Every structure is written in structure tokens, then in C-alpha cells.
Amino acid sequence: MGYSKTILVTGGAGFIGSHVVRLLVNKYSDYRIVNFDKLTYAGNLKNLTDVENAPNYAFVKGDICDREALKNVFEEYNVSDVIHLAAESHVDRSIEGPMEFVMTNVVGTVNLLQQAKDSWNGEGNHVFHHVSTDEVYGSLGDEGLFEEITAYDPRSPYSASKASSDHFVRAFYHTYGLPIKMSNCSNNYGSHHFPEKLIPLMINNIVHKKPLPIYGKGDNIRDWLWVVDHASAIETIFHKGRVGESYNVGGLNEWTNIALVKHLCRLMDQKLGRSEGESEQLITYVTDRAGHDMRYAIDATKLESELNWKPSVTFEEGLDHTVDWYLNNSEWIEEITSGSYREYYESMYDNR
Ligand code: NAD
Ligand code: DAU
């Protein structure tokens, strides 16, 4: 079949990438979706078993730092567009070892930009959509929201690497005219989220009655968005966003970490038939994350007013779906937590 677009989705086996791949494969039978992923500890093809046999889906194992592999995939599939999600994504890991973040997030992104520039050669109708984070803007006090014009002020090795990649993406637009679009999103949650991140870690630990480690006093604030809504925002920006522009993505759902974990404890006590207050007793305050950003909060007005996007669920609804998914898919998380991840997590936890 002749496809109207062939979209290379990098990092499609990860948490957000798998939701983007699923959405595009199911909704656009005239698009071919090529998932290019290195399958690091965070990549898992079991995230995509429901679409793996679709005729418009292909998987290529590869590293965005490997220029030859990128050249091959662009040529073999005649890639017309890119949605770039491949990254090292966990702040705590970036504190333990920043170099992997420099390699994938900075060097890998520049490799990919160069390959797209060389393959497209300034001709035709293409989009290079770079998926980034609100952490590039730094840390907020009690007031204010991150806007697209907020000055970059990254503070962790992870956010410094993402900010650097954002700068390179803009540089390729201004210098070479590469048709880029960018999105900067707040904290995601939902199914297939690797259990080193706050929400899936807490869900899994509540199930197993293990300690719930809260960094510092638990008063840091994050702004949460259901991953399915992030995927729909990416779909919208990819199709309708203006070339050269960036769009903030978020749903105005600010929670302190401690309030969120207590809410989760109450919800799961009900779902698991436990007595009220039982899971809250597992809360354990541990040493704070180094350089812990205090508050993130996104102003998504530009995306909402210009492109008519809005989130489809409230935080409470999204969290309810998410907890149900983890309870109904315990083998997914068991497989991850019984492997080398367990050793990693236990060593991190011992350090705090
Ligand atoms: P993730 O860690 O779950 O997945 C990352 C994926 O990238 C994995 O499948 C991994 O195998 C792949 N990958 C890593 N290095 C690679 C390389 N060198 N070559 C090819 N593939 C490689 O991450 P996520 O949470 O799904 O985040 C995806 C993107 O969205 C990242 O760019 C991240 O910065 C951004 N983002 C994440 C959030 C969030 O809350 N998780 C919010 C905003 C933006
Ligand atoms: O804002 C977007 C970013 O959100 C993405 O760019 C990152 O890829 C993603 O990992 C996420 O970063 P955070 O550092 O905000 O997410 P994390 O789940 O690691 O932590 C959320 C908050 O919870 C943060 O304030 C630290 C705290 N925390 C985290 C863990 C893992 C705890 O208190 N205890 C924990 O065990």
C-alpha cells in the first residue's frame, strides 16, 4: 500500500512513545509508523503487543547515536516525518550518571536532526516534532506558570540535557530551515509507566505493602497530565502546530507529592478492600533529591486557544483508570521489578 506519510517515532517502546505509536497506528491507516528504539532498560516491546501485527506498523531496533543506523532507516522506509521521544528520562538516574543523558539526549538528538536535514534536503513537506519537558524552565515559587516565553533555567543533568536538545532543534530551524515543531509537557502518568517514577512506584509499593519513599517533606509540586492526553496533544501539534513554534502541554493539575500519595493510598485501600488509612502507614520520609525542583506548573493557553486541544479527563478519573490498569496487568510490572531494575532500585533506596 502507498502510505501518505511514514513517521519515524523514536523511543516508541517507552512509556509515552508507546501511547503515541498506538494512537497513530490505530487512527491513521494511511500512515506507516516506524518505531525506532534502542530498547534500553526503559524500552519494552510488550507495551505494544496490541498493535505489533498491524500492517502499518514496523519496529526497528537502533540507537539514535548511531548515524549509520539512522541513515539506513531513513532510506529503507523513506521517512517523511519524525516524532522524537527517545531519551534518558529519569532525573534520579541523571544525578547518578549524567553522561548517558548527554549521549542520548544531546548527541543522539543532533544526529537525528542531521539525518533529517540530509535526507529531506530542504525539499518536500516534512515535520520534525521534538518532544520535550517543562523541566527546561527550571523551578517555580508559589506563584506563576511556565509559558513558552519563560527563560530556560534547567537545574538537573536531565533537564540540562533536554534544554540543550531543544536549543539544537531551534538552531536547525533557524540555520538550515528544518521544519521543526516542539512541545514541552508537564509530568505524565498512566499505563505502561516505568515503576521508577513516582506514581507507578507508589502503586506497586502499596500493592506489596512496601515503604512509600517521599523525598524531603513531600511539599514539592508537580502538574500531572494523563499520558493519553499528552499523546493527543502531540497528534494535534504534529498536524496543526506552526512550523518553528513550541507549545506547552499541561492540564492544570498541581499536587504536592504528599497529597498525591495520600490520595493514592485512600483510592487503593478502597479498591483492595483494605481498612481506611492502612496504606498511609507505609509512607516513609527519605533524604531529599539533590537540587530538587520545588514546583512545576504549565500554562497551556497557546495550545488550547490556537489548536483547540484540551485534556479529556480530570486527574481523579485518569488516576482511577491508571490504578485499575496496574491492578489488572500485574504481570507487566512483576516482570520489570523482578529483573535488574530491582537491584538498581534497592541500591538507590539504600543511598537515601
Ligand atoms: P521512557 O524512559 O519511558 O522511554 C524512553 C524510550 O527511549 C525507551 O523506549 C528507550 O528504550 C528509548 N531510548 C533511550 N535511549 C535511546 C537511544 N539512544 N536510541 C533509541 N532509543 C532510545 O521515557 P518517557 O517518559 O516515555 O519520555 C519520552 C519523552 O518525553 C522523553 O523525551 C522525555 O524527555 C519526554 N517527556 C517525558 C515526560 C514524562 O512525564 N515522562 C514529560 C514531558 C516530556
Ligand atoms: O515534568 C516532566 C518530567 O516529569 C519529565 O520530563 C521526566 O522525564 C519525568 O521523569 C518527570 O520528572 P520528575 O522528576 O518530576 O518525576 P518523578 O516521578 O521522578 O518524581 C515526581 C516527584 O516525586 C518529584 O518531586 C520527586 C518525587 N519523588 C519521586 C520518587 C521516584 C518522591 O518523593 N519519591 C520517589 O520515590
Side-chain angles (χ1 to χ4, degrees):
M1 165 173 179
Y3 292 103
S4 63
K5 292 182 193 298
T6 294
I7 307 177
L8 188 75
V9 179
T10 69
F15 165 48
I16 302 169
S18 62
H19 283 274
V20 171
V21 167
R22 177 174 302 105
L23 171 75
L24 296 175
V25 166
N26 287 333
K27 191 162 167 185
Y28 298 95
S29 56
D30 58 323
Y31 292 180
R32 179 168 51 176
I33 308 303
V34 181
N35 173 11
F36 185 86
D37 198 296
K38 183 180 173 184
L39 298 182
T40 67
Y41 79 93
N44 186 351
L45 288 178
K46 291 199 175 145
N47 294 351
L48 288 165
T49 43
D50 52 334
V51 295
E52 68 189 2
N53 295 320
N56 62 336
Y57 171 74
F59 172 69
V60 176
K61 184 168 190 253
D63 185 341
I64 54 169
C65 296
D66 178 349
R67 185 65 196 277
E68 198 57 29
L70 286 177
K71 185 167 180 283
N72 290 341
V73 76
F74 267 75
E75 282 176 5
E76 183 179 345
Y77 288 92
N78 196 16
V79 169
S80 61
D81 300 86
V82 172
I83 301 181
H84 176 37
L85 296 111
E88 286 294 332
S89 68
H90 192 40
V91 173
D92 291 332
R93 287 184 192 252
S94 81
I95 295 168
E96 295 295 307
M99 198 47 86
E100 201 68 24
F101 287 70
V102 175
M103 292 313 296
T104 287
N105 299 2
V106 186
V107 177
T109 299
V110 178
N111 246 343
L112 189 59
L113 287 163
Q114 281 196 295
Q115 188 56 51
K117 169 182 162 287
D118 289 355
S119 292
W120 299 340
N121 201 21
E123 291 155 13
N125 193 14
H126 307 283
V127 172
F128 186 111
H129 182 150
H130 176 60
V131 177
S132 193
T133 171
D134 61 356
E135 296 197 13
V136 299
Y137 299 122
S139 180
L140 290 165
D142 293 343
E143 301 290 319
L145 301 171
F146 294 135
E147 298 173 41
E148 288 82 359
I149 53 165
T150 303
Y152 275 32
D153 183 22
R155 287 148 173 261
S156 73
Y158 163 70
S159 53
S161 70
K162 291 295 292 187
S164 174
S165 70
D166 290 11
H167 290 321
F168 273 105
V169 171
R170 286 203 182 90
F172 269 65
Y173 169 66
H174 289 292
T175 309
Y176 308 112
L178 192 75
I180 67 97
K181 299 180 183 183
M182 271 184 39
S183 48
N184 293 79
C185 188
S186 61
N187 284 64
N188 285 212
Y189 68 94
S191 70
H192 306 93
H193 201 182
F194 196 86
E196 64 190 350
K197 307 282 168 51
L198 180 74
I199 289 183
L201 176 74
M202 295 296 159
I203 293 174
N204 194 42
N205 286 11
I206 291 170
V207 168
H208 295 287
K209 300 189 177 179
K210 286 167 70 177
L212 308 177
I214 303 285
Y215 299 169
K217 295 190 187 125
D219 52 2
N220 302 71
I221 292 174
R222 296 293 180 265
D223 182 1
W224 294 94
L225 183 72
W226 193 34
V227 64
V228 173
D229 286 331
H230 186 192
S232 88
I234 290 171
E235 176 201 11
T236 303
I237 295 162
F238 173 79
H239 286 109
K240 300 199 289 186
R242 282 180 287 144
V243 169
E245 292 287 315
S246 63
Y247 295 84
N248 280 353
V249 186
L252 289 180
N253 283 305
E254 290 185 54
W255 287 72
T256 63
N257 294 334
I258 189 65
L260 191 161
V261 171
K262 285 185 175 171
H263 175 78
L264 202 49
C265 286
R266 282 191 293 276
L267 178 66
M268 290 190 63
D269 280 345
Q270 284 166 15
K271 287 187 186 283
L272 295 167
R274 293 183 185 164
S275 57
E276 205 182 313
E278 191 178 332
S279 297
E280 265 191 46
Q281 289 169 18
L282 299 167
I283 289 174
T284 309
Y285 291 91
V286 299
T287 309
D288 209 353
R289 172 184 280 174
H292 197 170
D293 288 341
M294 193 60 211
R295 172 172 168 254
Y296 304 146
I298 273 278
D299 181 348
T301 308
K302 180 177 174 184
L303 173 60
E304 288 171 359
S305 59
E306 205 178 284
L307 306 185
N308 209 16
W309 171 89
K310 60 176 176 15
S312 67
V313 294
T314 64
F315 181 69
E316 286 79 359
E317 287 165 343
L319 198 64
D320 199 67
H321 289 310
T322 302
V323 170
D324 286 346
W325 186 85
Y326 282 96
L327 295 180
N328 293 329
N329 292 276
S330 52
E331 69 293 342
W332 182 90
I333 206 159
E334 295 299 334
E335 200 173 308
I336 293 170
T337 52
S338 60
S340 56
Y341 166 67
R342 180 188 288 277
E343 284 159 39
Y344 163 80
Y345 175 67
E346 282 169 0
S347 74
M348 292 288 283
Y349 192 62
D350 285 349
N351 290 338
R352 291 199 185 103

